[in-house]
Structure formats: structure tokens, C-alpha cells
Amino acid sequence: ATEQDPLLPVERLRVREQILEIREDDLRFTADEAAQLLNKQLNLNLDQALIDTLTARTKGMALELLMAGLALHGRADKAGLIESMVAGHHDLLADLIDAVIERQPEELQAFLQQTSILDLLYAPLCDVVVRGENSDDMLREVQQAQLPVHVLDDTNEWLSYHPAFAARLREQLGEGRSQADIDGLHRRASAWHAEHGSLTLAIRHALIIGNTGMAADFIEEAARHVMLQGQVETLTRWLDTLTPAQIELRPRLRIYRAWTLFVRDRIGEAEETLYEARAAIGSLTRSPARTRLREEL
């Protein structure tokens, strides 16, 4: 999926019928498809004229239609609300999401905003992040309210918010919470992921709040696996976020830094970094840790 044509011979592939293109216009709802969503799924009972207007106002985009439909629930003047929507207004989606969120119970609003920092929604993880005990119930409410979430497994335990929906929730979170509170959410998420072996997500949350010390510990633990997977760019990006002092304190990270340099043909820098790593390991007192580091080197 891309916002612009890829660097491929698209015209030639079209002629040979070797390419399937699904473009923005293909993803737009028709008025009939919008009627299915609004009247059959959301039970709004709108007449066709209002559906046509709403489809035009939202340009037939799925998330905008869903948010508009949810915002219309229980509204006496549905026609007035639809007419107030300005087609192409850059804040239309944000306004619709705000209208839908405002109609949720306060406890659910807070839950949505706090868990919007998560890529994955899982009740035990959410409990830790929001410091609660009823995330199972909250996630069921989210689904019952038909809010835009994706179910990621057969057991309905792992979910994720629609990216645009989550982005607006994070904006609301930033408007209503202190940075210290938000950092606490990320810190708890990072610790949970690290404890449960999801080191990439643990690193991501630690780096979001600029806690490079915490991130460095997780990077040191994850680096070998990432290296063996050939994920040079990921490991390079992680290491580039750390200070020289944080890498110097961890000889293993010097070894992995040398590997990323070697793969990018920066041989001289790689050799120098390996020399520094060898010297750092040599200065350690004899221990199993030193033996393991020497073996890696």
C-alpha cells in the first residue's frame, strides 16, 4: 500500500495484465453500500436523500461514514447534523470522532484515550497501563458501541484501534493529561511488553518518552535476535537513539554497532568499534558474562 505509484513499470504491467490496482476511488462506498452500513448495520433508518448527502459529505470513506453514523444515533435532527457537515473539511473526521467519543460514558472515554498509546489491545496489558481491573469489560463495551477496532485473533482477545481513530484519541489524551501522566502510560506499557517478551514494543514505548536508558537495556537483550533476522535498519535506528556513553557502558552494544557498520560497508569504523569492544571486555573482571561477550566478539 502506498500513497504514490511505486518505482515499477506500471504502464507496462497494465498492458500485460500483470498488476491489480486498488485505488482510492475503489475504496469509496457507493450510496447503496452506505445504505447497507447506515441502515442495516447501524439501524439509523435514513431516507435515500440523506444517505446520498452523507455519502457526498464524507466522500464515501469508510471511517468517516461509520463515525457519522455513530454520531447520528439518538439524534432528533439527523438531517440538520448531516447538512452541517462540510465536504472536504480537513477536520471533519476529527469532529466526527469527537462527537462519538463525547457520547460515551466518562469511564469509557478515559479508557479509550489512555489505551490509544497501544498498538495492541489485550485486557491484561490494558489493566496494567490504565491501572485498572476491568479492561475486559471496557473492551467489550468498545465493540458493543461499534467503535472502529480490528479483532486480531480467533479468541477475540487481541484487538487494535483503527489508526486514524487512535491518532485522534492520542490528541485528546494530550489535551487532557499532563506529559508526566502520558509518560507513565508508556513506561508501564514498555515494562509489560518487556516482561512478556515483546521487546520491540517495549523499546518503542521507551523511546517515545525519551527513556533511552530503559531502551538501551531492552535493545541489548533484543539485538542478537534482530541481528540474526537481518534487520539492519531496525537495529541501526535503535542504536542511533542512544548516547555514546550508553553504548560504551554496554560492550555487547558495541559489538552490534560494529556489525551494523560492517553491513553498511563502513569497514574502518567497524574494525575500530570492535577494537574498542575487545578492550572494554578485556577490562571486565573474569565472569561468565565476560566469557559470553568474548565468544560473541
Side-chain angles (χ1 to χ4, degrees):
T2 174
E3 293 182 355
Q4 56 189 352
D5 285 342
L7 297 175
L8 295 171
V10 175
E11 293 294 341
R12 188 190 315 157
L13 293 171
R14 282 184 189 136
V15 171
R16 295 177 178 176
E17 298 184 349
Q18 293 177 323
I19 185 172
L20 172 64
E21 298 175 82
I22 302 173
R23 296 191 174 266
E24 187 173 332
D25 286 343
D26 299 307
L27 299 176
R28 298 183 192 279
F29 276 44
T30 65
D32 287 343
E33 291 167 338
Q36 290 281 328
L37 170 67
L38 298 167
N39 286 345
K40 292 199 172 180
Q41 184 173 331
L42 300 181
N43 299 312
L44 290 175
N45 298 316
L46 301 177
D47 61 43
Q48 193 59 49
L50 285 179
I51 290 172
D52 291 342
T53 301
L54 185 53
T55 304
R57 292 286 195 273
T58 60
K59 295 186 175 181
M61 300 309 291
L63 183 60
E64 283 85 340
L65 272 171
L66 176 61
M67 290 295 99
L70 293 175
L72 288 168
H73 262 300
R75 296 289 182 101
D77 184 18
K78 292 182 174 63
L81 179 59
I82 292 172
E83 290 296 334
S84 70
M85 297 177 190
V86 179
H89 178 44
H90 73 282
D91 284 334
L92 176 59
L93 179 57
D95 291 343
L96 290 172
I97 292 175
D98 288 349
V100 170
I101 299 305
E102 287 169 5
R103 303 189 64 188
Q104 308 306 318
E106 287 188 8
E107 184 181 11
L108 183 56
Q109 289 186 43
F111 178 84
L112 289 166
Q113 291 167 2
Q114 291 177 81
T115 55
S116 67
I117 68 157
L118 298 172
D119 295 310
L120 303 173
L121 304 170
Y122 177 54
L125 166 60
C126 294
D127 278 342
V128 169
V129 170
V130 304
R131 289 178 169 169
E133 297 179 348
N134 63 340
S135 293
D136 260 329
D137 294 336
M138 291 288 100
L139 290 174
R140 273 193 292 271
E141 280 193 48
V142 168
Q143 292 178 280
Q144 289 166 1
Q146 295 184 295
L147 298 178
V149 294
H150 306 296
V151 179
L152 304 177
D153 68 339
D154 294 336
T155 62
N156 205 35
E157 291 185 330
W158 291 89
L159 311 171
S160 68
Y161 293 127
H162 186 289
F165 184 67
R168 181 55 190 157
L169 288 172
R170 287 193 294 272
E171 290 175 2
Q172 293 180 352
L173 179 68
E175 293 163 3
R177 300 274 181 151
S178 70
Q179 190 58 51
D181 287 342
I182 297 172
D183 288 354
L185 298 172
H186 283 289
R187 193 176 298 109
R188 292 191 288 277
S190 182
W192 188 93
H193 280 300
E195 183 180 347
H196 291 81
S198 305
L199 289 171
T200 297
L201 288 173
I203 292 165
R204 178 181 177 278
H205 284 288
L207 291 178
I208 284 174
I209 60 176
N211 193 331
T212 53
M214 175 185 283
D217 291 337
F218 298 150
I219 292 170
E220 186 173 17
E221 188 174 349
R224 181 174 179 82
H225 174 74
V226 172
M227 181 183 75
L228 293 175
Q229 293 294 316
Q231 298 177 37
V232 182
E233 291 184 7
T234 297
L235 186 52
T236 300
R237 185 174 65 253
W238 287 347
L239 293 172
D240 285 346
T241 65
L242 307 181
T243 65
Q246 287 169 332
I247 294 178
E248 289 169 7
L249 289 171
R250 299 167 175 84
R252 183 176 282 107
L253 290 186
R254 293 195 190 192
I255 298 172
Y256 297 134
R257 166 69 84 186
W259 177 76
T260 63
L261 292 168
F262 178 79
V263 170
R264 290 178 290 162
D265 283 332
R266 294 163 62 176
I267 307 301
E269 294 175 74
E271 290 178 344
E272 182 179 351
T273 303
L274 278 176
Y275 177 81
E276 292 171 352
R278 187 185 300 275
I281 294 170
S283 67
L284 297 174
T285 57
R286 291 188 176 277
S287 67
R290 176 184 174 181
T291 301
R292 286 195 300 271
L293 283 170
R294 290 183 66 86
E295 288 173 354
E296 290 183 32
L297 186 59

